[in-house]
Amino acid sequence: MTTQPALADGRLLFLLTLLCPLGALAFTPTFSEPLSNLTVAVGRDATFTCMVQHLGGYRVGWVKADTKAIQAIHDHVITHNPRVSVSHNDHSTWNLHVRSVQEEDRGQYMCQINTDPMKSQMGHLEVVVPPDFIQEETSGDVMVPEGGTVKLTCRARGYPQPKVIWRREDNVEIIAKEANGLKNKLPLFEGEILKLSKITRSEMGAYLCIASNSIPPTVSKRILVNVHFHPVIQVPNQLVGAPLGTDVTLECLVEASPKSINYWIRDSGDMVISSEKYDVSGVGKSMFEVKMILVIRNFQKSDVGSYRCIAKNSLGEVESNIRLYEIPGQNRRPPSPTRYDEEDDYAEQYGSAEEEEATREESSNAVDGPWPNQPTAPFHTPPHGSPAASSAASRLLPPLRLHL
C-alpha cells in the first residue's frame, strides 16, 4: 500500500492551521465522545467516528499513529490507499472509512483537531482473520505398513493464532504412545503434529484436524490413514452339515489392506460363481473387513465336499477350507397323523363289522344243526387275556343253543 510520507504531528498542525479561516482560532472545540476501538474481520469494512463540539472554523485530521501516515484532512483524503474515505455530518460527526480491511490496516488511528495545543484522541483497529490451513505444510492422505510410524501435520494460520485439535471421524479414541511405551486413549488430541507409532490396523481410518480461533468459520481437514497388511481369513465354522433339499450358507471373514480379491473354489478346482445353484456375495464390515458369503441352494449329495475361500492382495494370498456334509434323515417328512381307536385296530386284525356279522350268523346256524355236522367258521383268535380278546369273545360268541 502506498501512503503519503510520514509527517510529524507539528507539520500536521501547521497544515491544519493554514487551512483555517481567519478568526476561527477564537473557538475552543472539544471531543464529545471518545473514539471507539474496532474489531473487524479481514475483508469487512471499518468506520471510525469522531464526535466534535464547537468545531467552528477548525479542521479535523486523521493519522495512522503507528506509521504517522496522514490519512485525511477535513474532507480531503491524503493517503493513496483507495480503500480509505471520509465523511461528516453538520461538522460534529467526522468519519474515517476503511473498506475491505486487510491485516496491514491493523493499528492505532488518531483523530486530531488543529487547536494550539493540538487536541487528539485514538482508537485501535483490530483486524481478525479466521483460521486457514497452510496447504504446503499440511499432510495429505498417507499409507503406512502395519507396525510402522506415521506423523500427521496440520499447520494453520489466522489472527489470533488458531488452536489445532485432532479427532477420528468415527469417534473412536486416538491411541497416543508416549516415549516410555505407555499408551493413552484420547477422544481428542491437541497440537499441530499427531504421531502414530507402531500403528495397527484398528487405527486405520479418517482423522480430522480442526483449527479454530473463535473467529468463524472453524475449518477442518480430513486425512485418511491407510494401514497395509497381508490378508487374513477367519472361518466361524469349518465343518458344516445340512439335510438334503435345504439351502446352506458358508461364511469366511477376510481382513486385508489394500482390499483383496475374494473368491470360492470347490475341491474339484472349479471356481464357484453366482448362478441358479449358487449365490456368491460379500458384505463390508469396515475399511479392511469383508464377510464372504456362499449360499448353496437345494443341497444335494453332489454338493458334499470341500469349499475353499481365497483372499489375495498385493502383499500376499491366503485361503481357508470349509467341509460340507449331509445330515441324514432330517430331510424326510414326518408321517401324516391317522385316526386310531380300538375299533379300527380290531377291524384291522380281526375283520370288519360286516365280516363279524356274517361269522355270527354262521355260528348261529351251526349250533341249530346237528352237532357232529356243525361247520367250523374260520376266524382269528385274539391273543389270550387282551382287552380285544375279551371284547371279541363277547361280540363273536353269542349264547349257544344245544339240541340233545
Side-chain angles (χ1 to χ4, degrees):
M1 179 182 69
T2 303
T3 61
Q4 183 75 10
L7 298 176
D9 293 344
R11 294 185 62 186
L12 175 63
L13 178 60
F14 175 74
L15 290 173
L16 292 173
T17 303
L18 292 178
L19 295 173
C20 288
L22 295 176
L25 298 179
F27 295 97
T28 306
T30 58
F31 295 109
S32 58
E33 292 182 12
L35 196 62
S36 299
N37 296 326
L38 301 178
T39 299
V40 179
V42 66
R44 300 296 182 89
D45 297 341
T47 299
F48 283 106
T49 299
C50 190
M51 305 295 293
V52 181
Q53 289 182 337
H54 311 299
L55 181 62
Y58 289 93
R59 298 288 186 266
V60 174
W62 293 94
V63 177
K64 194 170 188 299
D66 52 353
T67 63
K68 299 194 181 300
I70 299 175
Q71 304 297 298
I73 298 175
H74 215 55
D75 52 3
H76 301 286
V77 176
I78 304 300
T79 180
H80 294 296
N81 185 349
R83 296 182 289 107
V84 174
S85 62
V86 291
S87 65
H88 64 90
N89 181 19
D90 297 334
H91 289 75
S92 61
T93 303
W94 296 85
N95 301 310
L96 176 68
H97 307 282
V98 183
R99 298 188 308 274
S100 185
V101 297
Q102 304 300 313
E103 290 193 73
E104 59 265 25
D105 298 326
R106 184 184 296 118
Q108 295 285 106
Y109 287 79
M110 181 185 296
C111 175
Q112 296 181 347
I113 304 175
N114 63 333
T115 57
D116 188 16
M118 178 190 68
K119 293 182 178 182
S120 66
Q121 60 179 358
M122 288 195 297
H124 184 78
L125 174 61
E126 184 66 274
V127 180
V128 294
V129 182
D132 190 19
F133 291 112
I134 305 173
Q135 296 299 329
E136 58 271 18
E137 299 182 32
T138 297
S139 300
D141 295 346
V142 296
M143 293 183 295
V144 58
E146 192 168 34
T149 298
V150 63
K151 185 173 71 172
L152 305 179
T153 303
C154 264
R155 301 286 188 191
R157 58 190 165 201
Y159 191 86
Q161 179 62 35
K163 179 179 69 173
V164 176
I165 62 172
W166 296 82
R167 71 173 180 86
R168 288 188 56 164
E169 189 177 53
D170 55 8
N171 292 321
V172 175
E173 293 178 321
I174 294 174
I175 302 177
K177 301 179 179 69
E178 300 179 359
N180 57 9
L182 295 178
K183 297 181 180 180
N184 291 326
K185 292 185 176 182
L186 306 172
L188 298 173
F189 178 84
E190 183 174 342
E192 291 185 333
I193 298 176
L194 173 63
K195 185 178 180 180
L196 304 173
S197 57
K198 296 182 179 178
I199 195 167
T200 65
R201 65 192 66 180
S202 63
E203 296 175 83
M204 182 188 305
Y207 290 74
L208 302 177
C209 65
I210 303 167
S212 62
N213 62 353
S214 301
I215 309 301
T218 296
V219 294
S220 66
K221 180 175 176 61
R222 183 178 186 267
I223 300 175
L224 187 62
V225 176
N226 288 294
V227 180
H228 285 185
F229 55 92
H230 60 79
V232 176
I233 292 181
Q234 298 179 6
V235 179
N237 298 302
Q238 290 187 318
L239 190 61
V240 177
L244 297 180
T246 60
D247 292 347
V248 186
T249 300
L250 308 181
E251 295 181 352
C252 290
L253 303 178
V254 178
E255 296 182 5
S257 178
K259 290 185 179 296
S260 57
I261 299 173
N262 307 321
Y263 55 96
W264 295 86
I265 288 184
R266 287 210 57 179
D267 46 9
S268 61
D270 297 330
M271 181 180 293
V272 180
I273 60 176
S274 292
S275 62
E276 293 184 357
K277 180 65 178 179
Y278 302 110
D279 183 12
V280 179
S281 62
V283 178
K285 309 295 289 184
S286 70
M287 289 184 62
F288 59 89
E289 294 175 295
V290 174
K291 178 189 288 187
M292 297 176 61
I293 302 174
L294 170 60
V295 178
I296 303 170
R297 300 188 182 95
N298 190 20
F299 175 53
Q300 300 297 318
K301 287 185 179 294
S302 58
D303 299 320
V304 171
S306 295
Y307 293 79
R308 286 183 295 157
C309 51
I310 300 175
K312 180 189 302 185
N313 71 2
S314 59
L315 300 180
E317 178 180 346
V318 68
E319 66 178 51
S320 190
N321 190 69
I322 299 177
R323 183 72 181 175
L324 179 59
Y325 68 94
E326 174 195 353
I327 299 178
Q330 293 192 10
N331 59 318
R332 298 176 182 173
R333 294 185 178 179
S336 301
T338 56
R339 181 175 175 270
Y340 177 86
D341 55 26
E342 181 181 301
E343 192 171 323
D344 292 337
D345 179 64
Y346 174 78
E348 182 180 351
Q349 297 186 51
Y350 310 115
S352 62
E354 291 79 3
E355 294 174 341
E356 178 185 337
E357 185 64 28
T359 304
R360 184 177 301 168
E361 291 178 358
E362 291 177 359
S363 299
S364 177
N365 294 334
V367 296
D368 286 341
W371 180 259
N373 299 325
Q374 177 183 351
T376 302
F379 64 91
H380 299 282
T381 304
H384 178 71
S386 66
S390 59
S391 175
S394 62
R395 293 158 63 184
L396 288 178
L397 300 177
L400 297 178
R401 292 176 293 172
L402 300 179
H403 301 276
L404 300 177

